[in-house]
Amino acid sequence: MGETTSDTVNEDEVEPHVLHYSLFDITIDPGLKDDEGNELPRPFTKNQMRRWLKKVRWENRKADKRAKEKARAKERRRKAKEENIDLGPNRKALKKMKLEKVARNIGIIIDLSFDHLMIEKDRYKVIKQILRCYSINRRSDSPLQFYITSFGEKSKADMSRHNGYENWDIEFCDVPYLNKFPKEKLVYLTSESENVIESFDEDNYYIIGGLVDHNQYKGLCHKIAVEQGIRHAQLPLDKYINMKTRKVLTIDHVFEIVLRVAEGMPWQEALLKVLPLRKGAHVYDSNSDLDISSHSDTVVKES
């Protein structure tokens, strides 16, 4: 751990949920690295110490949290068995089923080349959305081929919080998609595109930008696609639905829409199924007084 100094954190300044942790309570020391992956020296500054204690707290609770989740799942299965309720396949059965399924020859790529543009909090949001995509895909009767590209050190560190991710039905690629796939087979899904996609073709790979940007980098994915000379397209939201809010879709929203349409679900049904209730999506009405197309900020989020 190293010696403590007078530059340790003042307890009055530490956030409430880490107050009970001090240098003397640490059982696991995960270390702390800067955005470039360099180990930060000790003693820490007060801000560094806050971040470090949060990370230590999470590491120390991880094993206990996982054990409690397993215990709760076991209890649910026990009660369901007693009440003759079918909870569906467990994770082990799902994995076996997934391995026996033949994935559709349609690929979907999440481009993680934007790590340097996001703070840690937003990178974690991207990882959380990827987990949702993985869960949706593995439960599909005809899953998509799932790829992660530009899987760099920051993303690996963020993903390492989820033990065993290397064994998931996702192909993690360190290199950019242009180094992995034929250029003519790629299509970048971006709301800035003037092209509207109507179907997803076999032997093609559809790219979703792994960027949570809060509109800070609007149009970036489209710009990249144009500069790289690859095809690009937007989802046909305006054609099939109206929305009461801005048409900002997360990574997992876009992923599931592609999956459902690729499974054969009609566009309108897929959009209404996937989009959350707070979006207020409803069947398109040409007479509606809500003219979505007239607002430049009603776009699909490139993340």
Side-chain angles (χ1 to χ4, degrees):
M1 283 296 304
E3 297 181 355
T4 60
T5 72
S6 59
D7 195 29
T8 55
V9 179
N10 184 333
E11 286 195 347
D12 293 334
E13 297 177 3
V14 180
E15 298 177 8
H17 61 282
V18 294
L19 276 177
H20 62 287
Y21 268 88
S22 72
L23 294 176
F24 304 100
D25 298 317
I26 306 307
T27 58
I28 298 175
D29 179 2
L32 185 69
K33 296 182 180 181
D34 60 21
D35 286 341
E36 282 68 47
N38 302 312
E39 187 79 24
L40 291 171
R42 297 183 179 87
F44 300 105
T45 66
K46 291 179 180 179
N47 284 336
Q48 290 170 346
M49 182 63 81
R50 288 191 189 98
R51 292 173 56 197
W52 182 66
L53 288 177
K54 285 182 184 179
K55 187 172 183 180
V56 167
R57 180 175 179 269
W58 186 89
E59 289 287 346
N60 285 334
R61 290 184 58 196
K62 184 167 61 174
D64 183 54
K65 184 178 179 181
R66 187 166 290 116
K68 288 180 179 178
E69 287 175 350
K70 288 182 178 179
R72 285 196 295 267
K74 186 176 181 180
E75 180 63 15
R76 282 197 302 270
R77 289 194 298 271
R78 185 189 66 78
K79 288 184 177 179
K81 186 175 181 180
E82 288 178 354
E83 299 172 9
N84 199 27
I85 298 174
D86 183 11
L87 293 179
N90 57 28
R91 291 190 175 190
K92 185 179 292 185
L94 276 172
K95 185 173 183 181
K96 184 174 185 293
M97 289 165 57
K98 180 67 171 63
L99 293 173
E100 292 173 349
K101 295 175 184 175
V102 178
R104 295 182 66 88
N105 193 27
I106 297 174
I108 194 156
I109 301 166
I110 296 180
D111 172 20
L112 292 187
S113 64
F114 306 102
D115 281 356
H116 62 292
L117 299 178
M118 293 181 288
I119 60 174
E120 184 178 60
K121 180 180 178 181
D122 288 338
R123 295 203 312 270
Y124 285 169
K125 288 180 180 178
V126 170
I127 298 300
K128 185 176 180 180
Q129 292 174 34
I130 289 175
L131 300 184
R132 170 69 175 155
C133 296
Y134 168 65
S135 177
I136 294 167
N137 199 47
R138 74 196 293 251
R139 284 168 168 77
S140 171
D141 289 332
S142 52
L144 301 172
Q145 298 179 36
F146 192 0
Y147 304 90
I148 302 290
T149 60
S150 296
F151 189 52
E153 292 305 315
K154 290 182 183 178
S155 296
K156 289 178 182 177
D158 297 339
M159 188 66 83
S160 67
R161 296 161 64 97
H162 304 279
N163 292 344
Y165 78 88
E166 302 91 342
N167 301 318
W168 294 355
D169 295 301
I170 303 176
E171 185 171 339
F172 293 91
C173 310
D174 297 341
V175 298
Y177 47 80
L178 283 176
N179 293 6
K180 173 76 176 177
F181 305 96
K183 190 173 182 178
E184 65 276 8
K185 300 290 186 181
L186 296 171
V187 182
Y188 217 123
L189 299 177
T190 164
S191 61
E192 302 296 327
S193 176
E194 63 278 11
N195 307 315
V196 179
I197 199 164
E198 286 289 350
S199 62
F200 299 101
D201 300 327
E202 296 278 334
D203 200 28
N204 277 261
Y205 303 89
Y206 298 89
I207 308 166
I208 303 172
L211 174 63
V212 171
D213 64 346
H214 310 288
N215 255 359
Q216 185 177 358
Y217 300 103
K218 185 177 178 180
L220 179 58
C221 294
H222 178 253
K223 179 182 177 183
I224 290 172
V226 172
E227 290 176 348
Q228 293 178 341
I230 63 176
R231 291 177 294 163
H232 48 82
Q234 63 168 290
L235 304 181
L237 300 188
D238 284 339
K239 181 175 180 179
Y240 294 103
I241 61 170
N242 278 338
M243 294 172 63
K244 293 181 180 179
T245 63
R246 294 173 60 246
K247 291 183 288 184
V248 178
L249 306 188
T250 59
I251 295 168
D252 51 304
H253 287 159
V254 178
F255 186 102
E256 186 172 4
I257 290 168
V258 175
L259 175 63
R260 300 308 175 203
V261 173
E263 288 175 336
M265 186 178 292
W267 273 102
Q268 192 170 80
E269 183 180 344
L271 294 170
L272 293 174
K273 174 182 175 64
V274 172
L275 297 180
L277 291 175
R278 68 178 184 274
K279 294 290 183 182
H282 56 281
V283 175
Y284 180 79
D285 178 3
S286 59
N287 296 320
S288 172
D289 57 3
L290 177 61
D291 184 6
I292 292 178
S293 62
S294 67
H295 296 274
S296 60
D297 63 343
T298 55
V299 297
V300 180
K301 188 173 186 179
E302 295 172 333
S303 60

